[in-house]
Amino acid sequence: MASSTQRNSPAPYGGAGPARKVTPRRLQEMRDAGEKIVMLTAYDAVFAGLAGQAGVDAVLVGDSLGMVCQGRDSTVPVTMDDMVYHTQSVARGLADSPSLLLSDLPFGSYHGGQDDAMRNAVRLMQAGAQMVKLEGGGWTAPLVRFLVERGVPVCAHLGLTPQTVHALSGYRVQGRDDDGAARLERHARELADAGATLLVLEMVPAALSARITAALPACHTIGIGAGAGTAGQVLVMHDMLGASLGKTPRFVKNFLAGSGGVREAFEAYARAVREGSFPDDALHAW
C-alpha cells in the first residue's frame, strides 16, 4: 500500500542546524570555532530526512542496523549488501540536506586488506556515502592511509568496537587501565596521522577521551558513552527515541520523551549537544 505522505523539501535550518554542506573542511571549521559536531544514525529515507531537517550535521548508516533493524545480537552478521541497501535509502532521504552521510564498512569487508577495503568503500560511496567508517586500531592505520590517498574520506572507531565484541568478551568499557589507555592513545595518533577525518570513541573514560581530543586538532573525535570532552557526539537513533527492545545504555537519554514528535526529538538532541547539556559526565562517568 502506498504511503499518503508526500516528500517535502526540508524546512529552513536557520541557526539551529548546518548552514551549508557539511564536508571535511566544514568539520574543521566547526572544530576551530568550538562548535560541537552532531551525529546520529539512520537506516531509511524517512528518518534520515527528518534528521537532516532537524539540523543533524552527520548521519551514519551504522552496522548497528543488524541489531535495531534485523533483530540480531551483534553487528557481525551484517553484510555489504545490507549496508549498500540502507545507504541508498538514507541517501535518498538526505538528497536535499547539507548533512554529511557516512556508512560503516561491515565485519569482514576490509579485513582481507587493501583491495577488499577499496572495493567495498567504492560500493558504499557509489550508493551515496560521502565517508566510510571502519573499526579498530593498529592494523587499520595502513588501510586508512590507503583509502584516504585514493580519495575516500574515513571515519575511524576506537574503544568498544562492536564488530570485535566477541574478542573483547562483551560490551565493556575500554581504556580503563594504564596499558589500555596508552594503547588507545597510540592508535588514535596513528589513525589521525594516516588521514582519518573523524574518530568515534565508544565507551571510553571521559578523561581519556578529552585527552585524545586535545591531541588531535585535525581529526575530530565523536563520542558515544565517552564523555562531553569530544568534538562531537553520536547516538543510535533507536536508543535516543526510547525504542530499544533491550537494555538502554546508561549514557543514552530518551529525547522523544516530552517532545512533540521524532523531528522535535532530533532537534532537542542536536541542541543539547551544541549547548553542552548532553552528555552529562556526572551521570555517565565510567
Side-chain angles (χ1 to χ4, degrees):
M1 182 171 61
S3 171
S4 61
T5 302
Q6 299 296 314
R7 177 175 173 175
N8 297 313
S9 297
Y13 284 85
R20 63 182 190 275
K21 181 63 185 175
V22 178
T23 63
R25 177 178 292 183
R26 175 60 183 146
L27 292 171
Q28 186 66 59
E29 292 173 353
M30 293 172 66
R31 177 77 180 276
D32 292 343
E35 301 173 17
K36 293 287 188 179
I37 300 165
V38 180
M39 185 185 293
L40 188 64
T41 69
Y43 315 96
D44 65 25
V46 171
F47 283 100
L50 291 174
Q53 291 177 23
V56 172
D57 298 307
V59 174
L60 169 65
V61 184
D63 57 5
S64 49
L65 67 88
M67 303 174 79
V68 299
C69 297
Q70 298 176 339
R72 302 181 184 274
D73 61 2
S74 78
T75 66
V76 173
V78 175
T79 67
M80 272 302 304
D81 286 346
D82 293 334
M83 293 307 305
V84 167
Y85 171 83
H86 287 274
T87 298
Q88 290 170 334
S89 298
V90 168
R92 294 184 193 107
L94 293 177
D96 301 313
S97 168
S99 303
L100 179 71
L101 172 55
L102 304 82
S103 291
D104 268 329
L105 285 165
F107 183 73
S109 67
Y110 53 97
H111 298 68
Q114 295 176 345
D115 290 345
D116 275 357
M118 188 67 199
R119 179 175 61 255
N120 289 315
V122 167
R123 288 191 66 190
L124 291 180
M125 295 191 75
Q126 289 177 337
Q130 293 144 346
M131 184 179 292
V132 301
K133 185 170 79 65
L134 53 76
E135 294 184 4
W139 69 276
T140 60
L143 292 181
V144 171
R145 186 180 303 278
F146 182 85
L147 292 173
V148 170
E149 287 176 346
R150 285 153 182 80
V152 180
V154 176
C155 173
H157 186 154
L158 292 175
L160 172 65
T161 47
Q163 290 177 11
T164 55
V165 65
H166 301 305
L168 295 173
S169 300
Y171 297 95
R172 300 173 180 272
V173 179
Q174 302 297 304
R176 270 181 164 168
D177 58 30
D178 290 344
D179 288 345
R183 182 169 57 254
L184 280 178
E185 289 182 279
R186 182 177 71 254
H187 287 169
R189 287 193 301 271
E190 292 170 352
L191 290 163
D193 290 344
T197 300
L198 295 172
L199 172 61
V200 171
L201 296 174
E202 182 168 1
M203 290 182 68
V204 172
L208 175 57
S209 294
R211 194 158 68 238
I212 291 172
T213 300
L216 306 179
C219 180
H220 319 305
T221 56
I222 306 295
I224 176 166
T230 52
Q233 297 290 326
V234 63
L235 285 176
V236 172
M237 180 191 72
H238 291 69
D239 289 345
M240 59 83 68
L241 293 177
S244 178
L245 294 177
K247 182 179 179 181
T248 301
R250 73 183 196 188
F251 55 79
V252 173
K253 176 180 177 180
N254 181 348
F255 285 92
L256 185 60
S259 73
V262 171
R263 175 173 163 170
E264 288 75 11
F266 291 168
E267 290 173 343
Y269 165 65
R271 185 166 55 250
V273 171
R274 293 189 176 110
E275 294 174 350
S277 60
F278 179 84
D280 184 344
D281 284 355
L283 295 177
H284 305 125
W286 300 113

